[in-house]
Short mmCIF file of all heavy atoms in Angstrom, two decimals:
data_model
loop_
_atom_site.label_atom_id
_atom_site.label_comp_id
_atom_site.label_asym_id
_atom_site.label_seq_id
_atom_site.Cartn_x
_atom_site.Cartn_y
_atom_site.Cartn_z
N VAL A 1 146.17 109.47 72.66
CA VAL A 1 146.06 108.86 71.33
C VAL A 1 145.59 109.97 70.36
O VAL A 1 146.10 110.10 69.23
CB VAL A 1 145.07 107.69 71.31
CG1 VAL A 1 144.80 107.22 69.88
CG2 VAL A 1 145.64 106.53 72.17
N GLU A 2 144.63 110.78 70.82
CA GLU A 2 144.09 111.89 70.00
C GLU A 2 145.15 112.87 69.66
O GLU A 2 145.28 113.37 68.52
CB GLU A 2 142.86 112.55 70.68
CG GLU A 2 141.72 111.68 70.81
CD GLU A 2 140.60 112.36 71.55
OE1 GLU A 2 140.74 113.56 71.95
OE2 GLU A 2 139.54 111.75 71.77
N ILE A 3 145.97 113.22 70.61
CA ILE A 3 147.03 114.23 70.46
C ILE A 3 148.10 113.64 69.54
O ILE A 3 148.60 114.38 68.66
CB ILE A 3 147.64 114.63 71.83
CG1 ILE A 3 146.62 115.39 72.69
CG2 ILE A 3 148.90 115.46 71.58
CD1 ILE A 3 146.23 116.68 72.08
N ARG A 4 148.41 112.38 69.71
CA ARG A 4 149.39 111.77 68.81
C ARG A 4 148.92 111.76 67.38
O ARG A 4 149.69 112.06 66.40
CB ARG A 4 149.68 110.31 69.27
CG ARG A 4 150.78 109.59 68.41
CD ARG A 4 151.24 108.34 68.98
NE ARG A 4 150.13 107.32 68.94
CZ ARG A 4 149.63 106.82 70.05
NH1 ARG A 4 150.02 107.24 71.23
NH2 ARG A 4 148.65 105.94 70.00
N GLU A 5 147.61 111.45 67.18
CA GLU A 5 147.07 111.40 65.84
C GLU A 5 147.07 112.87 65.26
O GLU A 5 147.29 113.08 64.05
CB GLU A 5 145.65 110.86 65.89
CG GLU A 5 145.59 109.38 66.20
CD GLU A 5 144.17 108.85 66.32
OE1 GLU A 5 143.26 109.70 66.36
OE2 GLU A 5 144.01 107.59 66.33
N LEU A 6 146.77 113.84 66.12
CA LEU A 6 146.81 115.26 65.60
C LEU A 6 148.18 115.62 65.21
O LEU A 6 148.41 116.20 64.16
CB LEU A 6 146.33 116.17 66.79
CG LEU A 6 146.50 117.68 66.53
CD1 LEU A 6 145.71 118.14 65.32
CD2 LEU A 6 146.15 118.47 67.79
N CYS A 7 149.20 115.25 66.02
CA CYS A 7 150.57 115.55 65.66
C CYS A 7 150.99 114.95 64.32
O CYS A 7 151.55 115.58 63.50
CB CYS A 7 151.48 115.09 66.79
SG CYS A 7 153.25 115.40 66.51
N ASN A 8 150.66 113.68 64.17
CA ASN A 8 150.97 112.98 62.91
C ASN A 8 150.24 113.58 61.74
O ASN A 8 150.84 113.71 60.65
CB ASN A 8 150.58 111.49 63.07
CG ASN A 8 151.49 110.75 64.03
OD1 ASN A 8 152.61 111.19 64.33
ND2 ASN A 8 151.01 109.60 64.54
N ALA A 9 149.07 114.02 61.95
CA ALA A 9 148.27 114.61 60.89
C ALA A 9 148.89 115.98 60.44
O ALA A 9 148.94 116.31 59.31
CB ALA A 9 146.84 114.82 61.30
N LEU A 10 149.40 116.77 61.43
CA LEU A 10 149.96 118.04 61.14
C LEU A 10 151.30 117.82 60.38
O LEU A 10 151.60 118.59 59.48
CB LEU A 10 150.24 118.78 62.43
CG LEU A 10 148.98 119.38 63.14
CD1 LEU A 10 149.40 119.98 64.48
CD2 LEU A 10 148.26 120.40 62.29
N VAL A 11 152.11 116.83 60.75
CA VAL A 11 153.32 116.55 60.09
C VAL A 11 153.03 116.13 58.64
O VAL A 11 153.64 116.60 57.68
CB VAL A 11 154.04 115.33 60.83
CG1 VAL A 11 155.20 114.82 59.93
CG2 VAL A 11 154.64 115.90 62.14
N ASP A 12 152.03 115.25 58.46
CA ASP A 12 151.67 114.87 57.09
C ASP A 12 151.16 116.00 56.24
O ASP A 12 151.51 116.11 55.05
CB ASP A 12 150.62 113.72 57.15
CG ASP A 12 151.08 112.43 57.68
OD1 ASP A 12 152.32 112.21 57.68
OD2 ASP A 12 150.23 111.58 58.09
N TRP A 13 150.36 116.85 56.86
CA TRP A 13 149.76 118.03 56.16
C TRP A 13 150.95 119.01 55.70
O TRP A 13 150.92 119.42 54.56
CB TRP A 13 148.83 118.76 57.08
CG TRP A 13 148.22 119.95 56.46
CD1 TRP A 13 147.16 120.02 55.56
CD2 TRP A 13 148.60 121.34 56.60
NE1 TRP A 13 146.85 121.29 55.19
CE2 TRP A 13 147.72 122.09 55.85
CE3 TRP A 13 149.56 121.97 57.38
CZ2 TRP A 13 147.82 123.56 55.81
CZ3 TRP A 13 149.65 123.38 57.41
CH2 TRP A 13 148.80 124.14 56.60
N LEU A 14 151.92 119.26 56.57
CA LEU A 14 153.03 120.07 56.22
C LEU A 14 153.76 119.44 55.01
O LEU A 14 154.16 120.20 54.11
CB LEU A 14 153.94 120.30 57.40
CG LEU A 14 153.53 121.28 58.48
CD1 LEU A 14 154.53 121.24 59.67
CD2 LEU A 14 153.54 122.67 57.93
N ARG A 15 154.10 118.22 55.07
CA ARG A 15 154.78 117.57 54.04
C ARG A 15 154.01 117.71 52.72
O ARG A 15 154.57 117.95 51.65
CB ARG A 15 155.00 116.06 54.33
CG ARG A 15 156.07 115.82 55.43
CD ARG A 15 156.13 114.36 55.70
NE ARG A 15 157.18 114.07 56.75
CZ ARG A 15 157.08 113.02 57.54
NH1 ARG A 15 156.07 112.11 57.42
NH2 ARG A 15 158.09 112.79 58.41
N GLU A 16 152.69 117.47 52.76
CA GLU A 16 151.90 117.48 51.58
C GLU A 16 151.88 118.88 50.92
O GLU A 16 152.06 119.03 49.74
CB GLU A 16 150.45 117.11 51.96
CG GLU A 16 149.47 117.19 50.86
CD GLU A 16 148.02 116.94 51.29
OE1 GLU A 16 147.85 116.43 52.40
OE2 GLU A 16 147.09 117.27 50.50
N LYS A 17 151.68 119.94 51.80
CA LYS A 17 151.62 121.32 51.26
C LYS A 17 153.00 121.76 50.73
O LYS A 17 153.05 122.49 49.68
CB LYS A 17 151.11 122.25 52.30
CG LYS A 17 149.65 121.97 52.75
CD LYS A 17 148.75 121.92 51.50
CE LYS A 17 147.34 121.52 51.89
NZ LYS A 17 146.50 121.36 50.65
N VAL A 18 154.04 121.42 51.37
CA VAL A 18 155.37 121.83 50.86
C VAL A 18 155.65 121.06 49.58
O VAL A 18 156.17 121.69 48.62
CB VAL A 18 156.46 121.45 51.97
CG1 VAL A 18 157.85 121.55 51.38
CG2 VAL A 18 156.36 122.44 53.15
N HIS A 19 155.33 119.78 49.48
CA HIS A 19 155.50 119.01 48.25
C HIS A 19 154.64 119.64 47.15
O HIS A 19 155.16 119.76 46.00
CB HIS A 19 155.11 117.61 48.49
CG HIS A 19 155.25 116.73 47.23
ND1 HIS A 19 156.42 116.35 46.68
CD2 HIS A 19 154.24 116.25 46.41
CE1 HIS A 19 156.20 115.64 45.57
NE2 HIS A 19 154.86 115.55 45.41
N GLU A 20 153.46 120.04 47.38
CA GLU A 20 152.56 120.54 46.35
C GLU A 20 153.17 121.88 45.77
O GLU A 20 152.95 122.21 44.61
CB GLU A 20 151.20 120.90 46.94
CG GLU A 20 150.29 119.68 47.18
CD GLU A 20 149.00 119.97 47.83
OE1 GLU A 20 148.76 121.17 48.11
OE2 GLU A 20 148.18 119.04 48.03
N ALA A 21 153.87 122.63 46.65
CA ALA A 21 154.46 123.92 46.22
C ALA A 21 155.76 123.71 45.53
O ALA A 21 156.38 124.64 45.11
CB ALA A 21 154.59 124.81 47.42
N GLY A 22 156.23 122.45 45.43
CA GLY A 22 157.55 122.20 44.82
C GLY A 22 158.75 122.65 45.69
O GLY A 22 159.80 122.97 45.16
N ALA A 23 158.47 122.78 46.98
CA ALA A 23 159.51 123.26 47.90
C ALA A 23 160.15 122.11 48.57
O ALA A 23 159.74 120.92 48.45
CB ALA A 23 158.88 124.23 48.93
N ARG A 24 161.24 122.38 49.34
CA ARG A 24 162.03 121.32 49.95
C ARG A 24 161.81 121.14 51.48
O ARG A 24 162.07 120.12 52.04
CB ARG A 24 163.56 121.63 49.79
CG ARG A 24 164.01 121.60 48.37
CD ARG A 24 165.47 122.05 48.24
NE ARG A 24 166.32 121.29 49.18
CZ ARG A 24 166.99 121.81 50.22
NH1 ARG A 24 166.85 123.10 50.48
NH2 ARG A 24 167.74 121.07 50.98
N GLY A 25 161.32 122.22 52.11
CA GLY A 25 161.19 122.18 53.49
C GLY A 25 160.54 123.44 54.09
O GLY A 25 159.76 124.13 53.42
N ALA A 26 160.97 123.81 55.34
CA ALA A 26 160.27 124.89 56.03
C ALA A 26 161.25 125.75 56.80
O ALA A 26 162.27 125.31 57.32
CB ALA A 26 159.24 124.29 57.00
N VAL A 27 160.94 127.02 56.82
CA VAL A 27 161.64 128.02 57.68
C VAL A 27 160.61 128.69 58.57
O VAL A 27 159.49 128.93 58.15
CB VAL A 27 162.39 129.06 56.85
CG1 VAL A 27 161.51 129.90 55.99
CG2 VAL A 27 163.25 130.01 57.74
N PHE A 28 161.00 128.98 59.80
CA PHE A 28 160.04 129.53 60.78
C PHE A 28 160.82 130.30 61.80
O PHE A 28 162.05 130.13 61.96
CB PHE A 28 159.31 128.34 61.48
CG PHE A 28 160.17 127.23 61.92
CD1 PHE A 28 160.84 127.20 63.12
CD2 PHE A 28 160.42 126.14 60.98
CE1 PHE A 28 161.69 126.17 63.45
CE2 PHE A 28 161.28 125.11 61.37
CZ PHE A 28 161.88 125.13 62.60
N GLY A 29 160.07 131.20 62.48
CA GLY A 29 160.70 131.94 63.58
C GLY A 29 160.66 131.24 64.86
O GLY A 29 159.65 130.52 65.17
N LEU A 30 161.74 131.28 65.64
CA LEU A 30 161.81 130.71 67.01
C LEU A 30 161.87 131.88 67.93
O LEU A 30 162.93 132.54 68.08
CB LEU A 30 162.98 129.80 67.16
CG LEU A 30 162.82 128.44 66.49
CD1 LEU A 30 164.17 127.62 66.70
CD2 LEU A 30 161.73 127.61 67.22
N SER A 31 160.83 132.10 68.72
CA SER A 31 160.75 133.29 69.60
C SER A 31 161.05 133.01 71.04
O SER A 31 161.19 133.90 71.86
CB SER A 31 159.40 133.92 69.48
OG SER A 31 158.35 133.05 70.07
#
């Protein structure tokens, strides 16, 4: 339950920060 809540919180945080920046989404490296 704690890990699920952490995952959901990280998803929400990413959406919030991207929205605040006026951006559309995310790019990242896959190593």
Side-chain angles (χ1 to χ4, degrees):
V1 173
E2 293 177 2
I3 294 296
R4 182 171 66 248
E5 290 176 350
L6 171 62
C7 179
N8 291 339
L10 290 174
V11 168
D12 290 343
W13 181 80
L14 281 173
R15 287 174 178 157
E16 176 186 346
K17 294 306 174 186
V18 166
H19 176 74
E20 286 176 359
R24 296 175 51 246
V27 61
F28 45 87
L30 282 175
S31 68

